[in-house]
Amino acid sequence: MSQITKHKEECFTIENFLTEHECKAIIAYTEWLVANNILEWNQISFYDSYAMGFWPYDDNLEYFGLPKNYFHDVLKLKIKDACENVLGKDVAEVSYHAQKWLPGAYASFHSDNSDEDGNPTEFERSKYAAFIYLNEDFSGGYLNFKHHDVHIDPKQGMLAIFAGGHTNEHEVTKVHGGTRYTIGSFWDNADIEYTEEQIKEREERLKKTRADQDEMYKK
């Protein structure tokens, strides 16, 4: 059975959120996509960490023992329900992807939606993060919070939900061995609306961020 733990305000873990079969099937599916040159892992802003977006529906999922609507009708809605249950508010999806952390990968302390001074960035809508740990056969890769005595040791099938803002800076410690797989998603309050000007500003900042990252990875 799922076990919900509140670590502090707006920070929860839910153990046994996914079964061992689901976790292994998701990992196998993502690596199958890469092996068959259908999709690829893309470097993200954290050292030696990669992300992959995929389709909400895919007939090929049935080869891995998952329904073809798994990522949309099953998993996304299940994550949304879990977020709304523990946070006590409606949320809307911002982004959703798989992540892969190779040995040596880490994420230093950061806010998901602001700079180090608390000013909103192009990721302003990422008010809440929800990450599913797909495996635990790696060392390191812990989730720590900078200003709070909260240390989360990933377990296969666990879902971690937390506010991602400036007052909740967090890190992923270095992965020392093995590969760390997760499903990451970000969520916003459903009743928030942004002006066209704000949307355009975010798009321009995002373009610059991506361009800066591309230059960094060329060095």
Side-chain angles (χ1 to χ4, degrees):
M1 293 181 62
S2 297
Q3 176 183 339
I4 300 174
T5 301
K6 181 177 181 179
H7 298 274
K8 67 181 189 64
E9 192 66 26
E10 295 192 323
C11 180
F12 303 84
T13 54
I14 304 176
E15 293 189 34
N16 301 312
F17 185 75
L18 293 189
T19 66
E20 179 181 357
H21 165 70
E22 288 176 285
C23 292
K24 289 183 175 181
I26 294 171
I27 293 173
Y29 172 69
T30 59
E31 294 298 0
W32 176 84
L33 290 172
V34 174
N36 287 275
N37 298 312
I38 299 172
L39 292 175
E40 62 182 15
W41 291 106
N42 298 292
Q43 177 81 55
I44 57 176
S45 56
F46 303 128
Y47 180 77
D48 260 355
S49 58
Y50 298 82
M52 177 196 297
F54 35 71
W55 302 280
Y57 305 92
D58 186 358
D59 290 341
N60 290 307
L61 283 167
E62 295 179 346
Y63 293 107
F64 299 89
L66 299 173
K68 61 183 180 181
N69 63 343
Y70 179 78
F71 288 114
H72 183 273
D73 291 0
V74 180
L75 191 53
K76 282 189 179 185
L77 296 183
K78 186 176 180 180
I79 297 172
K80 184 177 188 294
D81 288 345
C83 289
E84 292 179 341
N85 178 45
V86 299
L87 296 170
K89 61 184 69 176
D90 293 339
V91 295
E93 180 191 335
V94 176
S95 62
Y96 181 86
H97 55 275
Q99 283 189 354
K100 179 179 182 178
W101 302 69
L102 299 178
Y106 69 94
S108 55
F109 283 110
H110 64 281
S111 163
D112 291 330
N113 53 41
S114 66
D115 63 20
E116 61 185 11
D117 296 316
N119 301 307
T121 65
E122 62 273 17
F123 303 107
E124 180 183 4
R125 293 192 63 205
S126 299
K127 297 294 193 302
Y128 299 98
F131 278 81
I132 302 173
Y133 302 109
L134 298 176
N135 66 319
E136 56 185 73
D137 54 342
F138 57 89
S139 56
Y142 304 111
L143 176 63
N144 294 328
F145 291 82
K146 188 174 185 178
H147 303 296
H148 310 276
D149 185 21
V150 176
H151 167 91
I152 295 175
D153 185 358
K155 297 180 181 179
Q156 185 180 56
M158 172 190 285
L159 172 66
I161 300 170
F162 54 91
H166 183 57
T167 60
N168 216 25
E169 293 184 34
H170 50 281
E171 69 168 350
V172 175
T173 64
K174 183 178 291 187
V175 177
H176 296 296
T179 301
R180 180 182 188 267
Y181 289 92
T182 60
I183 290 287
S185 59
F186 292 95
W187 304 82
D188 195 3
N189 296 73
D191 58 351
I192 290 180
E193 294 185 5
Y194 296 95
T195 66
E196 291 186 8
E197 183 178 359
Q198 287 175 311
I199 294 172
K200 185 176 181 180
E201 288 177 354
R202 280 202 309 276
E203 289 175 346
E204 292 301 319
R205 288 198 300 269
L206 182 57
K207 287 180 182 178
K208 184 179 185 305
T209 298
R210 296 306 187 201
D212 290 344
Q213 290 175 352
D214 288 341
E215 289 300 316
M216 180 178 67
Y217 296 129
K218 289 177 182 177
K219 295 180 180 179

